[in-house]
Amino acid sequence: MKLSKPDYTKPNAYCPIALVDTISKVIESMVVELLSYIAELHQLIPPQCFGGRPGRTGEEAILILSEKIMNAWKERDTYSVIVMDVVSAFNNVHHKRLSHNLRKRKLPDFIVHWIESFLSDRYTQLCFSGVDSARITINAGVPQGSPISPILYLFYNVDLLEIPGTDGLSWGFIDDIAYGVQGELDQHNAKKLQRMLMKAEEWRE
């Protein structure tokens, strides 16, 4: 159950949590270590991607953003930022898109095959007052509460961080994305940010 929701009769007020056994968590943690090592060694994830990886925290992202704003002020420019949050991020991961992105980032095939197997043939059950529902097949998403889900999501939406290109900068913290641009006029900044949002919308489609 998510806190501070106005209406708990609506399904989206609840967030499913994956309860896995100890052996599964150990295996997943080993794969996470391998994924993280390969990603950092070969720079498969851009440096502006924070959270879910060693040495890159939310505090560091905020410090970099603050520095960009201060530098813009020193140059008498305006710094504009737009922040996005992906709704129900983990639950809406498209498995085929995730596999495509993992291969696009040149991850070894045996790891991709393991992840595909890990995400296939999953199901959930609802339990209310001691009564279990029938099994519900899950065809999308990565399990909330699983050790491997954060880094898988980094690979899933990393393309969003590359949208600004030379027009600006980006920061990401798992499913939170920010685009920032510097310019003499806020109107020009707004136009650049609008173009970035249009590209982000294309990614969503």
Side-chain angles (χ1 to χ4, degrees):
M1 183 174 66
K2 300 178 180 179
L3 300 179
S4 304
K5 290 291 180 179
D7 187 356
Y8 286 102
T9 64
K10 296 182 177 180
N12 61 3
Y14 298 85
C15 181
I17 301 296
L19 301 177
V20 295
D21 56 39
T22 303
I23 294 178
S24 176
K25 282 192 174 182
V26 170
I27 295 173
E28 290 175 47
S29 298
M30 292 170 62
V31 177
V32 170
E33 289 293 325
L34 181 59
L35 268 175
S36 179
Y37 174 76
I38 294 174
E40 300 301 327
L41 178 65
H42 299 287
Q43 300 179 350
L44 304 183
I45 300 176
Q48 66 267 34
C49 187
F50 298 87
R53 57 192 303 203
R56 287 184 168 83
T57 64
E59 290 83 357
E60 184 181 358
I62 293 172
L63 286 174
I64 293 174
L65 175 58
S66 300
E67 182 180 349
K68 292 295 180 182
I69 294 172
M70 295 299 293
N71 286 338
W73 287 352
K74 290 178 182 179
E75 297 174 10
R76 299 187 180 277
D77 281 345
T78 299
Y79 203 84
S80 305
V81 179
I82 189 165
V83 180
M84 300 173 287
D85 176 46
V86 181
V87 177
S88 301
F90 282 18
N91 294 336
N92 288 322
V93 170
H94 191 284
H95 291 169
K96 289 185 178 179
R97 179 64 177 266
L98 174 60
S99 296
H100 167 78
N101 283 8
L102 293 173
R103 289 188 169 90
K104 177 182 175 182
R105 299 283 162 180
K106 307 299 184 182
L107 278 171
D109 281 341
F110 78 92
I111 295 180
V112 179
H113 291 322
W114 186 93
I115 292 169
E116 290 172 338
S117 176
F118 171 74
L119 295 176
S120 65
D121 299 324
R122 302 186 73 90
Y123 68 89
T124 189
Q125 283 182 291
L126 305 178
C127 179
F128 292 99
S129 301
V131 179
D132 294 339
S133 70
R135 289 186 176 186
I136 303 170
T137 302
I138 301 175
N139 296 318
V142 291
Q144 191 91 20
S146 170
I148 200 172
S149 293
I151 193 168
L152 288 183
Y153 196 82
L154 294 184
F155 278 101
Y156 183 70
N157 77 337
V158 68
D159 292 341
L160 284 174
L161 295 175
E162 297 177 341
I163 284 177
T166 57
D167 288 336
L169 294 175
S170 63
W171 296 266
F173 190 89
I174 311 295
D175 59 334
D176 296 306
I177 303 291
Y179 295 152
V181 296
Q182 178 178 339
E184 295 180 358
L185 299 174
D186 53 1
Q187 295 92 335
H188 293 166
N189 289 353
K191 289 180 179 179
K192 288 183 178 181
L193 290 174
Q194 182 61 39
R195 288 195 294 268
M196 295 176 193
L197 287 178
M198 290 176 64
K199 291 180 180 179
E201 179 65 16
E202 291 175 3
W203 177 90
R204 185 192 69 83
E205 291 290 346

